[in-house]
Amino acid sequence: MLSSEASTLPDKRERGLLLVFSAGVLWSTIGLGVRLIEDATVWQILLYRSISLSLFLYVVIRIRSGESPFVQIRQVGLPVVLAGMALVLAFSGGIYAIQTTSVANAMLLFATAPFIAAILGRIILGEAVRKATWIACIVAIAGVAIMVADKSSGGVIKGSLAALGSAFGFAVFTISLRWGKSGEMLPAVFLSGLFAIALTLVICIATDIPLILSPRDGGISVGMGIFQVGAGLILYTIGSRSLPAAELTLLSLAEVVLAPVWVWIFLGETATTNTLLGGVVLLAAIIGNAITGVVRRPPPLSSP
């Protein structure tokens, strides 16, 4: 019986790798969606995206479990609330960083998330981090550094701190998913949408930003909430059950690699040599970590 359970571990890991990498692919199209929007501000986009995300997750959770997400939030408790709040920090910190510092600087700081997740996972959850994963994290940051080396490096200290805050938020979100993996954690994503709605409503009202968007901008924003953020976070949350926190955030960096590809294909924006070279290095780090993990089978368990 025990040996049979051990044999299923590689399959669960490989399925988790595929789910989390697919989440990164979906998230990588967010930049394309933003480029297609004509007039909406960042906070308007986030508001509409959060509304559609919450409604979408409510329907998914009801269909999947037959329960209200609010019931599941009460059942799982603190991990869900912490994950939801951390995800809002990741979203809003990322937006503020891109507004106040260079995209190049923000991207490099976002890439610290795997390191932060590895450290927090070790301290809080006791998760061992494979040597290959540490190496892959270092290679990944080197790849991002290459991608941004030919871009403006100037930035504001507040923007840099916000980018680090975003990376920290995503790492805490990941740790919370691992902490609550014995329960249903999709409600954490639903809750993050509600938190984000409240935050963006306050910001829009306080700064006199209109709440009504054009049909085009509103439609794109709603679509981003469902097909990009929503579907991506569902895959990431399900995949989190079978992968350590450090590897989860490392795989999600596929978003950084693929984002320039979509705008090149659909909008004709050309990528620089540094972007292509750094993307290759980053992708190699992700694939290398995945391969070493799949090859490294767990030791067989024998029956007593």
Side-chain angles (χ1 to χ4, degrees):
M1 175 68 177
L2 290 175
S3 60
S4 173
E5 290 177 357
S7 66
T8 65
L9 291 177
D11 292 336
K12 289 181 179 179
R13 175 186 166 79
E14 289 162 16
R15 185 165 56 249
L17 288 170
L18 179 60
L19 289 173
V20 176
F21 184 78
S22 298
V25 173
L26 288 174
W27 292 337
S28 71
T29 64
I30 292 176
L32 176 62
V34 172
R35 290 293 179 88
L36 293 173
I37 287 177
E38 295 176 336
D39 302 313
T41 67
V42 170
W43 296 114
Q44 288 171 317
I45 295 169
L46 185 55
L47 173 60
Y48 276 69
R49 194 180 76 175
S50 300
I51 291 172
S52 61
L53 168 65
S54 299
L55 292 174
F56 175 61
L57 261 295
Y58 184 88
V59 172
V60 168
I61 292 169
R62 288 303 299 250
I63 293 175
R64 192 165 179 260
S65 66
E67 293 182 321
S68 164
F70 295 104
V71 172
Q72 296 182 344
I73 289 170
R74 287 194 296 270
Q75 291 173 346
V76 180
L78 185 58
V80 168
V81 177
L82 183 60
M85 294 176 65
L87 198 54
V88 175
L89 174 62
F91 286 157
S92 38
I95 291 171
Y96 185 83
I98 292 173
Q99 283 185 317
T100 55
T101 187
S102 67
V103 174
N105 190 47
M107 285 175 59
L108 188 55
L109 293 172
F110 292 158
T112 61
F115 275 113
I116 298 173
I119 294 169
L120 292 178
R122 181 64 178 169
I123 294 172
I124 298 174
L125 304 178
E127 289 186 346
V129 181
R130 297 185 302 118
K131 182 178 179 181
T133 299
W134 282 117
I135 294 172
C137 287
I138 295 170
V139 174
I141 286 195
V144 175
I146 294 172
M147 292 177 75
V148 304
D150 59 342
K151 299 175 178 65
S152 171
S153 59
V156 180
I157 184 64
K158 290 183 179 179
S160 297
L161 291 175
L164 284 173
S166 178
F168 178 78
F170 193 70
V172 172
F173 170 68
T174 303
I175 294 298
S176 301
L177 292 182
R178 295 291 297 159
W179 178 23
K181 65 180 180 179
S182 60
E184 180 56 71
M185 289 300 290
L186 277 181
V189 183
F190 167 75
L191 194 59
S192 74
L194 296 185
F195 288 154
I197 291 171
L199 175 65
T200 51
L201 272 176
V202 170
I203 292 174
C204 287
I205 294 172
T207 56
D208 293 324
I209 297 176
L211 299 179
I212 305 299
L213 299 183
S214 69
R216 174 190 171 91
D217 288 358
I220 294 174
S221 299
V222 168
M224 289 169 63
I226 296 173
F227 300 108
Q228 294 176 333
V229 182
L233 285 171
I234 288 173
L235 295 177
Y236 189 83
T237 302
I238 296 174
S240 71
R241 290 176 175 269
S242 55
L243 293 173
E247 300 194 35
L248 281 168
T249 48
L250 180 62
L251 275 170
S252 70
L253 291 182
E255 173 188 359
V256 178
V257 180
L258 295 173
V261 174
W262 305 128
V263 293
W264 169 62
I265 292 174
F266 294 101
L267 300 178
E269 292 189 13
T270 57
T272 65
T273 302
N274 282 51
T275 298
L276 296 175
L277 179 59
V280 169
V281 173
L282 180 53
L283 191 58
I286 295 171
I287 294 174
N289 180 72
I291 291 175
T292 57
V294 170
V295 171
R296 179 177 173 272
R297 291 292 190 260
L301 299 176
S302 54
S303 301

